[in-house]
Amino acid sequence: IDKDWTMLVDFTSNSIESGKAILHCMLESTPYHGLCLDFNSSGLRAVVPNNSDIQISSPDTNRHKIVITKSGNTFTVYNESMSQLGTNNPDTITTVRQTLLLGAYQTSNGDKGRFFNGTIHKFKLAEGVMSREDCLAWVVG
């Protein structure tokens, strides 16, 4: 729960539809504790604790390689060249007991939906904050 981690995801979207989740581990009620990577009307975004949106790109169906890190209370999102796209540092982090889903979301009662239309080529969740070099090697590999 208090551990630092690195999440890497490499995917291609076949279509851009608002709300479709690439990965989801979030409570689907205000104030939306947890983490989600999905599409909104402006494109690809990461939703990190305290319902803070980090906009990643404008809508496109290209291949995306995203790195998300948690170090202490700081969540940072990077693109495939490890350029920082945004950060959030909430005062508190609320633990969620949701299952991490790839390609869909889950409501509080367990219903699944908002299925992603595309391919997740690779996914990795590593304990600790990976070095920039290790993240770049994963992205290229």
Side-chain angles (χ1 to χ4, degrees), residues 51-80:
N51 198 26
S52 176
D53 287 2
I54 297 173
Q55 200 63 43
I56 296 172
S57 70
S58 58
D60 63 43
T61 56
N62 293 329
R63 190 164 181 172
H64 298 275
K65 298 175 183 181
I66 303 298
V67 177
I68 303 171
T69 62
K70 177 199 172 282
S71 178
N73 275 17
T74 302
F75 293 80
T76 308
V77 179
Y78 301 91
N79 66 12
E80 63 189 47

